[in-house]
Amino acid sequence: MDRLDNTIRPYAWGSTTAIPQLLGVEPTGEPQAEMWMGAHPGAPSRTARGPLNEVIGEDPEQELGRGAVAKFGPRLPFLLKVLAAGAPLSLQVHPNLEQAKEGYEDEERRGVPIDAPHRNYKDANHKPELICALTEFDGLCGFRTPDEAAELLAGLDVDSLKPYVDLLHAHPEDAALREVLTAVLSADPEDMARTVTEATAACARLGGAYAPYADLAHHFPGDPGVIAAMLLNYVQLQPGEALFLGAGVPHAYLNGLGVEIMANSDNVLRCGLTPKHVDVPELLRVVRFEAGDPGVLRPEASPDGEEVYATPIDEFRLSRFVLAEGAAPRDLTRATPQILLCTAGSVRADGITLAPGQSVFVPAGEKAEASGNGTIFRATVVA
């Protein structure tokens, strides 16, 4: 078992206080957006044996287990994070595995530099992800029904939005959403900026259900993503609740602290709320225009006390244990690799004491027990 020393990413949207508060340290005054735990080559966790990606690379079957290597290759297939949003992230969507492979191969064939700002596919992998709230957590996830979106837009009483309201009423569900998102993202930038400015004033005046969009516009004035965001479900997670973001589901995190886990990929197609490149045709190829409930997840408890967040993919499996002092240690031994993360209290994992924000890597098959008084998340794979 290896104690992990993890990198904190200082992205501009990060909270200046949430991760320091979790770790029990003084804020630096700079944004601290994500703490990465895993073997991603961009910022691998450090161990006493060396960077985790190098440790795994030296003996993949020993560290990951034969089953995981056979299924996912000689690498840890997930990245675990603590994510602290102090401002909205970009409105975005991720490709499925086939789309990622096609897009990556196409850009490689055309010689698009991997670091080019207009490059869409950094790798050939998909990027399903799960976010579990540690505090109240606000986000956008999946499309509202066209009728709900039309009602929200109509309530602003902005003349330039009325054609979108008509489109939402006039077409079948998937066609309506596609046409309106296409129109919003393809509109003349100056005209759309005026529309967003007028809509922002209305949102600020009306408050209530419109307040989140006034806040979006405060961070991204004139951005068409403000209007696009109104097509999506607004979600407020309570601590312990989660969202699974599958391929093609537009989403954005707005505010709060959570544990995030994802398949190892950097593929993001942006829809707005960003100064970065937005490739509208490719975005429309990837987005799933399906309306419905965002599907808030609550953990499913098993007899041994493990609370599992069920998802339909195998690259990661996230669960948690709420431990009580004096209770028998929980046997966490698995034939797959694990990262254990403490988020509350004090937890002992085979002689290593973990405070909130601290984590360990457990190689496949290595005996692992947890005890103490606190909460520990377990990230592993299905192999």
Side-chain angles (χ1 to χ4, degrees):
M1 186 178 295
D2 299 277
R3 182 184 287 275
L4 299 180
D5 179 17
N6 304 305
T7 296
I8 296 176
R9 296 289 209 175
Y11 304 136
W13 49 262
S15 167
T16 58
T17 58
I19 288 179
Q21 185 174 355
L22 177 70
L23 297 174
V25 300
E26 287 296 317
T28 64
E30 299 299 317
Q32 297 188 24
E34 296 179 347
M35 183 170 70
W36 287 21
M37 291 156 281
H40 191 291
S45 298
R46 298 169 293 277
T47 77
R49 296 188 286 159
L52 187 56
N53 58 333
E54 295 181 9
V55 170
I56 291 171
E58 289 173 1
D59 194 344
E61 287 199 359
Q62 177 68 29
E63 303 296 331
L64 305 178
R66 186 170 298 176
V69 171
K71 192 167 187 176
F72 306 112
R75 62 187 182 90
L76 190 67
F78 66 81
L79 177 64
L80 183 66
K81 301 179 180 179
V82 172
L83 182 146
L89 282 68
S90 61
L91 192 61
Q92 60 189 257
V93 68
H94 306 302
N96 63 31
L97 190 56
E98 182 180 356
Q99 291 164 339
K101 289 178 178 177
E102 291 176 353
Y104 179 77
E105 290 170 0
D106 174 64
E107 290 184 320
E108 286 289 283
R109 188 168 50 249
R110 292 190 286 116
V112 181
I114 198 72
D115 58 351
H118 63 285
R119 173 126 186 181
N120 293 314
Y121 297 95
K122 307 295 187 183
D123 51 69
N125 200 18
H126 63 167
K127 193 187 178 187
E129 58 191 43
L130 175 78
I131 183 77
C132 177
L134 294 178
T135 65
E136 289 189 354
F137 194 97
D138 298 347
L140 303 168
C141 178
F143 287 105
R144 302 174 185 266
T145 67
D147 284 346
E148 291 170 340
E151 182 180 359
L152 194 68
L153 290 176
L156 295 173
D157 195 26
V158 173
D159 286 343
S160 53
L161 291 177
K162 290 178 180 177
Y164 302 147
V165 174
D166 292 340
L167 283 172
L168 288 167
H169 285 312
H171 291 281
E173 183 176 276
D174 58 344
L177 294 169
R178 178 182 288 274
E179 284 205 35
V180 173
L181 184 62
T182 302
V184 168
L185 298 182
S186 304
D188 178 81
E190 291 186 3
D191 290 344
M192 179 52 64
R194 285 192 290 269
T195 294
V196 173
T197 299
E198 192 174 347
T200 299
C203 286
R205 183 178 68 253
L206 293 168
Y210 292 96
Y213 308 101
D215 184 63
L216 286 180
H218 169 73
H219 290 283
F220 300 98
D223 192 304
V226 175
I227 306 301
M230 299 183 76
L231 303 176
L232 306 184
N233 296 298
Y234 174 65
V235 184
Q236 289 186 299
L237 298 178
Q238 296 303 308
E241 295 181 334
L243 286 173
F244 173 70
L245 293 314
V249 177
H251 61 278
Y253 302 145
L254 305 181
N255 186 69
L257 181 71
V259 174
E260 184 183 37
I261 190 168
M262 63 186 62
N264 255 335
S265 174
D266 295 319
N267 287 328
V268 175
L269 290 159
R270 294 175 177 84
C271 318
L273 308 180
T274 178
K276 296 181 179 179
H277 177 63
V278 177
D279 185 334
V280 175
E282 187 63 17
L283 174 72
L284 297 174
R285 187 178 80 90
V286 168
V287 170
R288 285 167 42 201
F289 290 95
E290 299 174 6
D293 187 280
V296 173
L297 294 176
R298 295 172 182 84
E300 302 172 4
S302 61
D304 66 355
E306 184 181 26
E307 300 177 341
V308 180
Y309 292 91
T311 64
I313 54 96
D314 293 343
E315 281 90 343
F316 61 76
R317 177 183 184 274
L318 186 71
S319 61
R320 70 176 184 178
F321 294 84
V322 179
L323 306 173
E325 194 66 62
R330 299 286 172 79
D331 183 3
L332 305 187
T333 308
R334 286 181 65 94
T336 52
Q338 305 179 68
I339 292 178
L340 306 178
L341 165 68
C342 176
T343 58
S346 178
V347 174
R348 293 180 296 278
D350 278 19
I352 298 177
T353 299
L354 299 178
Q358 296 180 343
S359 56
V360 293
F361 173 73
V362 186
E366 181 170 313
K367 180 175 171 52
E369 287 187 343
S371 61
N373 186 24
T375 300
I376 191 168
F377 279 81
R378 169 159 71 180
T380 186
V381 302
V382 179

